[in-house]
Amino acid sequence: QVQLVESGGGLVQAGGSLRLSCAASGRTFSAYAVGWFRQAPGKDREFVAAISWSGGNTDYADSVKDRFTISRDNAKNTVYLQMNSLKPEDPAVYYCAGGLPSTFFTRTYGYWGQGTNVTVSS
């Protein structure tokens, strides 16, 4: 299994940028698809972005497309979410999640981190 720990959250101004990191432990990390999800207060957890096990394919929610970029560095066992042009609707707890390669398509991730909080100020 893979253990995931998110970091990089914090307070940023609207229009600013932030990069989240998902550090993973486990020798099978490179074989996992990884996704980013977020959950705002009073709302359901929603899909943000995903990257395939090879890093060759990415997917984004329409709400973040062209603003967020997901990437991975398997040598460092880390997945990143670069967030640019942050909007007032982006604040949430952001989670990274891992799963088998097919998870890239199904979004049914089996392993979840504890989340990192992102706050956007006006």
Side-chain angles (χ1 to χ4, degrees):
Q1 64 178 36
V2 174
Q3 183 177 7
L4 306 171
V5 180
E6 302 94 334
S7 63
L11 174 65
V12 297
Q13 195 171 28
S17 299
L18 197 66
R19 188 174 79 161
L20 306 183
S21 297
C22 175
S25 62
R27 291 171 291 179
T28 60
F29 174 76
S30 63
Y32 274 71
V34 175
W36 282 96
F37 292 75
R38 66 186 182 185
Q39 187 169 24
K43 294 189 175 182
D44 293 332
R45 188 174 298 181
E46 64 176 350
F47 170 78
V48 176
I51 189 166
S52 64
W53 65 271
S54 67
N57 293 287
T58 57
D59 191 23
Y60 299 92
D62 290 340
S63 60
V64 305
K65 195 172 300 181
D66 300 324
R67 297 190 298 119
F68 291 9
T69 301
I70 187 171
S71 62
R72 68 189 300 166
D73 186 341
N74 288 343
K76 297 181 179 179
N77 282 358
T78 303
V79 173
Y80 304 98
L81 183 68
Q82 178 67 46
M83 305 185 294
N84 297 325
S85 301
L86 285 161
K87 299 179 178 180
E89 60 264 35
D90 293 325
V93 177
Y94 283 72
Y95 301 87
C96 65
L100 297 174
S102 61
T103 309
F104 178 79
F105 304 99
T106 65
R107 299 180 183 177
T108 54
Y109 293 90
Y111 303 98
W112 294 83
Q114 296 301 307
T116 185
N117 190 56
V118 173
T119 302
V120 180
S121 63
S122 61

